[in-house]
Amino acid sequence: SQIAVVDVDGCENVSVENCRFNMKRMGSHEVRMTNTKNVTVKNCLFVYGFSALWLRRCSGRVLVENNTFAYLGINAAAIGCLPDAEVVIRRNIFYNTCAKFKNCPAVTVAKDVRKLICDENLYWKTPNRSPNMRFLGLSDQNGAAWCRAMYKEAGKRIAADLDEAHGKFDLESNGSFSDPLFVDPENHDFRLKIASPAKKRGWRPIK
């Protein structure tokens, strides 16, 4: 059965900020929200698990900003929103976000949202960990089938690199594929070194 550390259904104005999630000994999602209006996920660290952030049939404004996603099994964020939603995904770090036997994008978003901004994010992988990692996917699935969206879109509406993300979807024009320079990610020290490119993008540490 699937579990979540934060599980929200049918609420408004929900904010998850300054949290650290580690699902190494459990599968599924760190944050799961359904039928929720106005969502903010900001300044959090997500490590391990099935998918860190899983939203379905959400509406209003959805802001995913200044988070670090690392060592996820399937993808980092699956943002399933209704057509009236405004989705903003910016200044996040996506680090090794897909298991080597999967072919899923780091971020999947329902393609028919009214407004989608996905920019200034930093992506990185290592060949032995995530050889099949993709960057972005836009999905037709949004209702009951949303749980399969990240699989069903593999090879369809997917961007394999940032140039393709910008060319196909007009997203990530200021995104970067570069090493975030964590202090010691293998031992879960996700502080940034002084020279980290993420700092230049305004990324802030968890308070």
Side-chain angles (χ1 to χ4, degrees), residues 6 13 16 34 45 51-52 74 85 107 134 140 146 163 169 177-178 191 203:
V6 177
N13 303 321
V16 180
T34 55
L45 171 64
S51 180
I74 303 300
V107 181
R134 301 296 182 262
D140 290 319
W146 177 247
D163 287 340
F169 310 134
F177 181 63
S178 53
R191 292 175 298 162
W203 190 93

Side-chain angles (χ1 to χ4, degrees), residues 55-114:
L55 275 57
R56 183 168 71 90
R57 297 187 61 80
C58 291
S59 60
R61 189 169 191 264
V62 175
L63 174 63
V64 180
E65 183 179 51
N66 203 71
N67 302 286
T68 295
F69 300 89
Y71 303 130
L72 280 307
I74 303 300
N75 73 341
I79 312 296
C81 293
L82 298 177
D84 70 334
E86 295 187 7
V87 179
V88 179
I89 305 167
R90 65 187 178 200
R91 291 195 284 275
N92 300 283
I93 299 174
F94 299 104
Y95 182 85
N96 288 345
T97 57
C98 179
K100 64 182 180 180
F101 51 87
K102 297 296 182 182
N103 190 31
C104 305
V107 181
T108 304
V109 183
K111 72 178 183 65
D112 55 354
V113 296
R114 180 164 63 93

